[in-house]
Amino acid sequence: MRYLAININYELDQDWYFKCASVLDCYSYFDRLGPGDGPRTAIYDMELNTYLWINESHERTDERLNRIVNGAMKKIRAQI
């Protein structure tokens, strides 16, 4: 899986990521989210180490978003 679909619910102070094989899979994941899951936040390409899409309410310097990506990458690498 190359991509991470990330969503953050700031009201509940929770965040999630989902590993996706394609960008289309990421958008399908976002479409399945319920109202309590928080909004679509970002799609991250783990091979290029860059964000392909970020919700306009977030900036590339969003500290929490970067922590989510770093934590996910550590977990994924540990599983390999």
Side-chain angles (χ1 to χ4, degrees), residues 45-56:
D45 186 323
M46 295 186 291
E47 288 184 14
L48 297 177
N49 292 320
T50 190
Y51 294 98
L52 298 179
W53 173 81
I54 298 178
N55 185 312
E56 59 190 40

Side-chain angles (χ1 to χ4, degrees), residues 19-36:
K19 294 184 291 185
C20 310
S22 70
V23 173
L24 183 59
D25 290 341
C26 291
Y27 282 107
S28 294
Y29 162 75
F30 287 141
D31 289 341
R32 292 190 305 268
L33 294 176

